[in-house]
Amino acid sequence: DVYERLSLPVISDRDFTVHVTWGLDGEVAWMRFNTASAKALPPVPDAVRVTAHHGSWRLEPIEGGRATHAVYRFLIDLAGSVPMWLGVGQAIDELPDFFDSITRELPRYP
């Protein structure tokens, strides 16, 4: 179980707790997460509590293990008052940077 707090531009901070599981299906590694409201820390007064956040990673070796096909799926309801264009636009804009940051970190791991 992981507690996370998001400091976001324009809107109030959000927080949530997710329950994470992971495993292997043959050579394919996977990770899944879902909100864990029952196990969450009590709400804090200066953050909006997210009650719907779930998703998964699927990592499949390709090219004889020289590369990885990664699939990341998630759904988050940021709760409170958030214009839909803000949430969707932000996620779409940040995904390429997110994968670039993973690529930059990979050389650190043998």
Side-chain angles (χ1 to χ4, degrees):
D1 295 325
V2 178
Y3 173 80
E4 198 164 334
R5 182 177 176 133
L6 305 175
S7 294
L8 304 167
V10 181
I11 62 173
S12 302
D13 286 4
R14 300 312 200 246
D15 75 338
F16 53 88
T17 299
V18 291
H19 179 73
V20 181
T21 56
W22 59 90
L24 289 171
D25 288 331
E27 292 186 335
V28 177
W30 55 266
M31 187 271 293
R32 297 180 186 112
F33 58 91
N34 288 293
T35 48
S37 299
K39 300 177 183 181
L41 297 172
V44 294
D46 60 341
V48 175
R49 179 57 49 100
V50 170
T51 57
H53 185 200
H54 62 271
S56 65
W57 277 96
R58 184 177 188 280
L59 305 171
E60 180 179 3
I62 57 174
E63 299 177 16
R66 293 186 315 274
T68 303
H69 179 241
V71 177
Y72 176 54
R73 296 179 183 182
F74 76 99
L75 172 95
I76 186 168
D77 178 351
L78 290 175
S81 179
V82 179
M84 182 59 81
W85 63 266
L86 179 64
V88 172
Q90 183 95 16
I92 290 170
D93 290 345
E94 290 182 0
L95 275 175
D97 292 338
F98 178 65
F99 280 101
D100 288 343
S101 67
I102 291 172
T103 302
R104 284 192 304 274
E105 289 295 317
L106 287 176
R108 294 180 172 197
Y109 300 91

